[in-house]
Amino acid sequence: MKTYTNTGSKDTRSGFGAGLTELGQTNENVVALCADLIGSLKMDDFKANHPERFYQVGIAEANMVGMAAGLTIGGKIPFTGTFANFSTGRVYDQIRQSVAYSGKNVKICASHAGLTLGEDGATHQILEDIGLMKMLPGMVVINPCDYNQTKAATIAIAEHNGPVYLRFGRPKVANFTPENQTFEIGKAVHLNEGSDVTIVATGHLVWEALEAAKALEEKGISAEVINIHTIKPLDDKAILDSVAKTGCIVTAEEHNFLGGLGESVARVLATNKPTPQEFVATQDTFGESGTPAQLMDKYGLNSAAIQAAAERVMQRK
Amino acid sequence: MPSTQQLEDLTTQVRRDILRMVHKVNSGHPGGSLGCAEFFVALYQDIMEYSTDFDMDGIGEDLFFLSNGHISPVYYSVLARSGFFPVDELNTFRLINSRLQGHPTTHEGLPGVRIASGSLGQGMSVAIGAAQAKKLNNDSHLVYSLHGDGELQEGQNWEAIMYAAGNQVDNLIATVDLNGQQIDGSTDTVLPMGSLRAKFEAFGWTVVDIENGNDIESILKGMAEAKSKTGQGKPVCVLLKTVMGNGVDFMMHTHAWHGKAPNDEQLEIGLSQNPETLGDY
């Protein structure tokens, strides 16, 4: 199978910070807002370089979202930054009315998504945010897989006119996609050709999917691996073309199986080509404290879980 | 500038519009709409500088945001009669496929509306964002907003109020419609808010009172005072004392007409108290 090299593990939130820094230099309409988490969101550089375009709103996420909507009136492109839980669930109605329904060009950028912020526990982990955001009409939902892709996605969403939810995380994870890649919203990335099973993964689980594919290859199973960085709009064609070859699919995400990537894929399959599917996702549960690796193991969100799901789904063909 | 008599005539016509709009669809919010008729007329006919050739960004114009979106009838009537869209379109209020949704929205592209409102408490934050964009654009025009007094029970307002003072958002005039009523009764019985003047001042705002918010000249004078206090490092709050249901005697001084339409007979009484001035739509 095609080999991918980890050029040095990095956190995806730092990819966001680097993308925002670049946008600060290239697009004078980009402004940034943060709710008392500048360091955690890696927004320090943007703030230092463009203090006049940076808004520290304090611990007041609802006001932050409303202000972002207002800043678009006058041609600004606001990027809001806080943890994923406080970016979505806490301010759902503000996003719904002032941003999505009002059609405002706001980029909601959310770190510490999923289980992998670890020790802080369930109050700070969110496994429902993809569902919350993808249900909003007109909202684009993106969950890039590594540092390089998060940086590219951050830059790309400034060019998209409309609301976007960009989800990323805290832990250092393998950085393996090309530096300075072009990020195309809604376009899946084929990472490995395969014929026995399709694995579509998003976010931190893309690298785990590649690890699973390697292990499956040693058992003589040929896995196709697709990186679905954009959950909405979903690249239906990439999924349907792949299952036409393989006849079964595993979806993998750091999110609840209700409302996540897996359900979106299931809808595409059910309405076009019913196909056996296994979900690697949390099973309608909250998270808890622990190290990221312990949590991903306990909740079945790693390469071993993906590998097992692939073997299960192949038996259902 | 139009004369006071012209503004009063327009206000009377706006009251007729409000009553006829909510009567036709047997729904909507006449009480707060009637209470703010003079304010909207003064704002759009005298106080604000804007173009009716509507542009969302509104650079080089004063902007207005309605936070308590349920008083859409007065907003729509004044927008139409100020030239943003044909007055006849008031006929479509709350009907299927209309741009005049129950609560204002940008979704249907109605000229004059820059944000959806209805779910309460969000407009102050939006107005602050728009005011900050004006500063970035070196645009010296002002941002106006209107909020219900009961609406200030929503916590997001106080996040916004704290932010605006702490960050010298001094190109914003936020007006509170102080009618003392909300759906379940008087604000004092539902959730007493104490002195709003003391609260805004404690947060660091400049506060201007308009004691008679249903008198055009008082509104013009008070808003001119508010405008003179912008650009001085503090956001400006106008406490606009109004009578809910103003201009229709049986709707006044009660919360009963917050969200209730008049029947045929009540409509006729209301209209008879507000004779046609500029022509019904």
Side-chain angles (χ1 to χ4, degrees):
Chain A
M1 80 172 260
K2 203 170 166 189
T3 53
Y4 288 88
T5 309
N6 176 8
T7 58
S9 293
K10 288 184 176 182
D11 45 353
T12 51
R13 61 179 170 160
S14 287
F16 164 70
L20 194 63
T21 296
E22 189 167 321
L23 282 173
Q25 290 151 6
T26 58
N27 190 335
E28 63 176 16
N29 283 324
V30 168
V31 300
L33 303 90
C34 187
D36 196 31
L37 286 169
I38 295 169
S40 294
L41 269 286
K42 305 296 179 188
M43 297 169 97
D44 323 64
D45 272 0
F46 185 95
K47 179 180 183 250
N49 295 332
H50 312 284
E52 76 290 352
R53 285 193 266 148
F54 183 82
Y55 300 94
Q56 166 65 273
V57 301
I59 311 165
E61 295 82 6
N63 186 44
M64 176 168 74
V65 171
M67 274 185 62
L71 277 156
T72 67
I73 301 164
K76 305 304 164 198
I77 307 172
F79 282 62
T80 67
T82 182
F83 291 169
N85 186 20
F86 314 140
S87 291
T88 59
R90 187 177 182 94
V91 289
Y92 195 67
D93 189 45
Q94 284 79 10
I95 294 174
R96 181 175 183 273
Q97 175 172 284
S98 294
V99 176
Y101 185 42
S102 293
K104 297 304 182 200
N105 192 20
V106 174
K107 316 304 171 189
I108 297 156
C109 303
S111 185
H112 294 52
L115 290 173
T116 44
L117 80 145
E119 292 81 353
D120 277 345
T123 56
H124 284 56
Q125 297 160 341
I126 188 163
L127 298 161
E128 308 95 50
D129 55 322
I130 290 175
L132 287 169
M133 290 297 109
K134 81 176 185 183
M135 282 195 293
L136 290 170
M139 182 68 74
V140 167
V141 179
I142 297 172
N143 188 18
C145 66
D146 68 358
Y147 173 94
N148 286 341
Q149 190 163 73
T150 307
K151 181 181 175 189
T154 303
I155 293 164
I157 62 176
E159 297 297 320
H160 171 84
N161 186 18
V164 174
Y165 178 58
L166 180 67
R167 175 191 212 244
F168 42 88
R170 177 171 183 260
K172 289 187 166 61
V173 294
N175 188 29
F176 62 96
T177 65
E179 210 178 343
N180 301 318
Q181 63 191 280
T182 302
F183 186 92
E184 205 178 328
I185 294 171
K187 182 82 180 149
V189 181
H190 274 83
L191 293 176
N192 193 51
E193 297 288 325
S195 53
D196 295 329
V197 59
T198 299
I199 304 171
V200 295
T202 193
H204 292 150
L205 289 195
V206 175
W207 178 256
E208 298 296 322
L210 287 170
E211 295 285 291
K214 247 192 281 181
L216 289 165
E217 188 181 42
E218 283 168 17
K219 292 185 174 180
I221 295 168
S222 164
E224 177 137 309
V225 180
I226 300 174
N227 170 11
I228 300 270
H229 52 59
T230 307
I231 290 138
K232 184 186 170 188
L234 193 62
D235 190 342
D236 296 7
K237 185 171 185 302
I239 294 161
L240 291 168
D241 286 352
S242 182
V243 298
K245 281 193 303 184
T246 64
C248 63
I249 191 166
V250 173
T251 54
E253 59 195 310
E254 191 178 343
H255 190 272
N256 194 354
F257 75 134
L258 297 171
L261 167 69
E263 280 199 348
S264 287
V265 169
R267 177 192 55 78
V268 170
L269 296 174
T271 51
N272 291 278
K273 183 185 176 6
T275 304
Q277 176 181 357
E278 289 285 326
F279 294 69
V280 171
T282 57
Q283 308 293 307
D284 201 17
T285 177
F286 291 104
E288 63 179 293
S289 293
T291 68
Q294 285 170 336
L295 290 164
M296 296 299 259
D297 183 49
K298 177 168 177 177
Y299 290 89
L301 303 181
N302 53 20
S303 61
I306 295 169
Q307 192 188 322
E311 289 174 307
R312 277 200 310 276
V313 80
M314 281 176 62
Q315 288 170 14
R316 292 172 50 206
K317 277 207 259 190
Chain B
M1 289 294 168
S3 69
T4 305
Q5 185 60 51
Q6 284 172 312
L7 296 180
E8 283 171 356
D9 287 349
L10 177 53
T11 304
T12 306
Q13 190 62 48
V14 166
R15 284 196 207 107
R16 290 181 67 88
D17 291 349
I18 293 165
L19 291 169
R20 294 175 67 233
M21 286 164 77
V22 299
H23 169 262
K24 180 179 175 183
V25 292
N26 193 26
S27 70
H29 298 78
S33 294
L34 289 166
C36 290
E38 290 85 358
F39 177 76
F40 273 84
V41 166
L43 201 61
Y44 275 89
Q45 295 292 312
D46 190 303
I47 298 160
M48 288 204 305
E49 288 176 22
Y50 59 87
S51 165
T52 53
D53 185 10
F54 182 69
D55 168 68
M56 181 55 81
D57 286 341
I59 292 168
E61 302 179 43
D62 291 331
L63 304 182
F64 171 71
F65 294 97
L66 176 65
S67 190
N68 48 333
H70 56 275
I71 65 168
S72 57
V74 66
Y75 192 20
Y76 293 151
S77 168
V78 172
L79 284 177
R81 292 191 180 273
S82 299
F84 281 94
F85 55 87
V87 174
D88 276 353
E89 201 168 336
L90 297 177
N91 250 323
T92 69
F93 175 60
R94 287 185 169 237
L95 296 180
I96 191 96
N97 299 324
S98 173
R99 297 196 292 182
L100 278 60
Q101 293 288 299
H103 294 78
T105 170
T106 58
H107 197 256
E108 327 295 331
L110 186 69
V113 179
R114 290 192 164 85
I115 197 79
S117 58
S119 176
L120 294 171
Q122 300 187 25
M124 182 99 64
S125 302
V126 175
I128 290 168
Q132 295 288 51
K134 286 220 174 289
K135 291 198 175 200
L136 280 182
N137 290 333
N138 294 314
D139 179 349
S140 60
H141 282 78
L142 296 175
V143 175
Y144 294 86
S145 59
L146 181 65
H147 314 264
D149 49 1
E151 185 185 10
L152 295 181
Q153 291 159 4
E154 290 281 7
Q156 183 181 347
N157 287 300
W158 301 97
E159 295 183 2
I161 290 164
M162 192 182 297
Y163 178 92
N167 291 275
Q168 293 88 45
V169 184
D170 58 2
N171 53 345
L172 168 68
I173 300 177
T175 299
V176 179
D177 175 16
L178 215 60
N179 63 24
Q181 306 288 340
Q182 55 191 111
I183 295 180
D184 279 351
S186 75
T187 49
D188 279 346
T189 56
V190 175
L191 180 59
M193 288 182 289
S195 166
L196 286 178
R197 169 176 271 276
K199 286 185 169 63
F200 273 94
E201 284 182 343
F203 276 77
W205 286 53
T206 296
V207 180
V208 173
D209 287 304
I210 297 180
E211 283 299 327
N212 187 350
N214 296 111
D215 175 67
I216 294 273
E217 286 187 359
S218 300
I219 294 168
L220 292 177
K221 188 163 160 279
M223 293 305 283
E225 186 191 344
K227 197 171 170 179
S228 76
K229 292 187 170 171
T230 58
Q232 297 178 15
K234 287 182 172 190
V236 179
C237 165
V238 173
L239 297 177
L240 180 79
K241 253 189 211 161
T242 70
V243 174
M244 208 173 188
N246 186 61
V248 178
D249 61 8
F250 60 89
M251 291 188 176
M252 291 170 71
H253 302 289
T254 170
H255 64 273
W257 296 90
H258 167 89
K260 190 173 91 170
N263 62 26
D264 294 349
E265 191 187 337
Q266 291 160 334
L267 174 70
E268 285 316 311
I269 298 169
L271 292 179
S272 72
Q273 293 171 6
N274 293 279
E276 203 168 335
T277 55
L278 305 179
D280 286 339
Y281 59 83

